[in-house]
Amino acid sequence: GSGYFAFRFARQVGDKGKVYAIDVNSDMILHMNRKIRDLKLGNVSTVLSDPNDPLLLENSVHRVFLCNTWHHVQNRPAYLKLLKKALKPGGQIIVLDYKKKQLPVGPPPEMKLGRRDVLNEMEAGGFKLAGEHTFLPYQYFLVFTEKSWICSQGTKSGSRRAE
């Protein structure tokens, strides 16, 4: 997208962190690259990805943040496997997407995914809900961690901070 979250995340992770801004649209990547250059950000890199592959290296990220995009992914089970490979141990996938109903924003209801659908897909992909925020009026905000990591730690990772 436009970098709204990427630039905020860049401030949070600081000079020792890294943010990958991923998009399938080359125009958005070009826009992001200009902003990165103009803001002189050394901790943000863009990735022009394939709609079916985020093109992240294995074991390379602590968090994957998907805002209003999960409903666009065509083969979500396969995509989720790729995201799982990219996550470091204890990593999280955060899905923020539109509620499946008529809203004044977002796509029409038939294009949206319900919260329960996302929970079921993540569960089938080996993830468990680790946290949920309910302050947004039009979107659900779900935080997932791999089931095996939650079980082996005996706790949820929702409060764990990324390095």
Side-chain angles (χ1 to χ4, degrees):
S2 67
Y4 179 84
F5 288 107
F7 298 127
R8 283 157 179 75
F9 294 153
R11 282 195 301 270
Q12 291 299 309
V13 301
D15 294 336
K16 294 184 181 177
K18 186 76 172 172
V19 174
Y20 296 99
I22 301 171
D23 206 301
V24 298
N25 183 319
S26 60
D27 290 335
M28 293 312 300
I29 294 294
L30 184 60
H31 168 77
M32 285 288 299
N33 285 337
R34 285 184 181 126
K35 281 182 88 168
I36 291 165
R37 179 198 61 205
D38 294 347
L39 295 171
K40 297 179 175 69
L41 294 174
N43 62 351
V44 180
S45 293
T46 58
V47 178
L48 178 59
S49 70
D50 181 283
N52 300 310
D53 188 344
L55 298 175
L56 291 168
L57 296 175
E58 191 169 327
N59 197 35
S60 64
V61 297
H62 292 278
R63 278 195 185 101
V64 173
F65 178 76
L66 301 156
C67 183
N68 301 332
T69 57
W70 191 240
H71 66 272
H72 288 295
V73 177
Q74 295 299 308
N75 187 348
R76 288 184 295 278
Y79 199 88
L80 188 56
K81 284 181 186 177
L82 295 170
L83 292 178
K84 190 174 189 177
K85 285 182 183 180
L87 284 176
K88 292 184 178 197
Q92 297 176 330
I93 294 179
I94 299 167
V95 178
L96 195 154
D97 216 325
Y98 293 107
K99 294 175 182 175
K100 189 175 177 80
K101 61 182 181 178
Q102 189 64 46
L103 299 169
V105 295
E110 59 273 9
M111 283 185 65
K112 298 173 187 169
L113 287 173
R115 176 187 171 278
R116 173 56 47 200
D117 295 327
V118 175
L119 291 171
N120 290 342
E121 289 176 358
M122 291 292 174
E123 177 84 14
F127 288 86
K128 184 166 181 76
L129 185 66
E132 181 170 8
H133 303 282
T134 58
F135 60 89
L136 297 170
Y138 304 125
Q139 296 144 305
Y140 47 83
F141 188 142
L142 308 171
V143 180
F144 297 94
T145 303
E146 283 186 70
K147 287 183 205 177
S148 60
W149 190 81
I150 291 175
C151 294
S152 70
Q153 298 300 311
T155 184
K156 292 182 180 179
S157 63
S159 61
R160 192 164 184 256
R161 198 179 149 108
E163 295 170 13

